[in-house]
Amino acid sequence: MKLMKIVKDTEKSLRQPSVEVSEPFSKEDINLALYLHKHLLFAEKEENQKKYGIRAGVGLAAPQVGVNKRIIAVYINYDGHENKEDDYKTEFAIINPKIISHSVRQAYLLGGEGCLSVENAHEGYVPRYANITVTGYDCLTKQFINLKFRGYEAIVFQHEIDHCNGILI
Ligand code: CO
């Protein structure tokens, strides 16, 4: 697999707001969304991490590969249940992700948040909404979505959508 370079937090593309992708979506834009997802899948494997010097992550946004378009991928693997039938993944490759509503209640990760563009861990909590509703076009299922997320998943989505707004943790 040919990898795109993940830019570091000193890069300008990470501090700029990204543009909305206009419809009809081009093959290039769809492929970029699919690439972001594939990258996360690829980086999950330890042998690939070692061989390519990459890190595993649960989300990736287009500005992180130097493209200022509103495109993100999420890949959360819940495998490892005692009963294999309980294993599942939450995965999306979304063009124009948007939070259309959110809870008043907030949440944060106890260990702080990580980011593939940030080399060193930063201490501290990132306040997030506990529940969100996200819309956008999912390139994995080839359909527009309107879905509620809560807890960890809601936090991952907010982190990635922040990247599209030029905001880093
Ligand atoms: Co990040």
Side-chain angles (χ1 to χ4, degrees):
M1 175 170 169
K2 191 167 185 302
L3 294 173
M4 289 175 86
K5 192 173 176 274
I6 293 181
V7 299
K8 296 298 164 209
D9 50 359
T10 47
E11 207 72 27
K12 238 174 46 191
S13 70
L14 284 175
R15 306 282 178 179
Q16 286 170 347
S18 291
V19 296
E20 188 114 352
V21 182
S22 51
E23 289 180 58
F25 302 133
S26 68
K27 213 174 187 140
E28 187 194 348
D29 290 329
I30 290 168
N31 282 341
L32 178 59
L34 294 174
Y35 171 81
L36 296 174
H37 169 261
K38 216 159 50 173
H39 182 108
L40 295 170
L41 218 96
F42 187 79
E44 186 185 30
K45 295 215 164 56
E46 231 170 274
E47 69 233 48
N48 292 334
Q49 293 166 18
K50 284 204 194 101
K51 192 170 168 196
Y52 296 91
I54 52 176
R55 286 190 288 151
V58 289
L60 192 59
Q64 292 184 276
V65 292
V67 181
N68 277 116
K69 290 181 176 178
R70 304 188 75 87
I71 303 176
I72 65 164
V74 168
Y75 177 76
I76 306 169
N77 189 339
Y78 294 100
D79 286 358
H81 290 90
E82 206 166 307
N83 184 351
K84 260 195 167 7
E85 282 175 19
D86 294 332
D87 287 354
Y88 70 101
K89 295 172 177 69
T90 293
E91 50 187 343
F92 293 93
I94 301 180
I95 297 179
N96 295 336
K98 192 175 175 188
I99 296 167
I100 57 158
S101 67
H102 61 77
S103 59
V104 175
R105 195 162 64 87
Q106 296 201 315
Y108 56 83
L109 293 181
L110 275 178
E113 293 179 23
C115 179
L116 292 179
S117 293
V118 180
E119 211 66 52
N120 306 307
H122 290 251
E123 298 254 328
Y125 304 140
V126 185
R128 302 290 190 188
Y129 301 120
N131 305 292
I132 56 171
T133 302
V134 177
T135 60
Y137 179 78
D138 177 36
C139 297
L140 296 182
T141 55
K142 297 182 181 147
Q143 60 185 353
F144 285 91
I145 58 155
N146 182 328
L147 294 170
K148 278 195 170 63
F149 296 98
R150 57 190 183 86
Y152 182 60
E153 296 187 354
I155 289 172
V156 173
F157 269 93
Q158 287 170 85
H159 177 114
E160 298 315 321
I161 292 171
D162 263 2
H163 274 305
C164 297
N165 295 324
I167 296 165
L168 282 165
I169 47 169

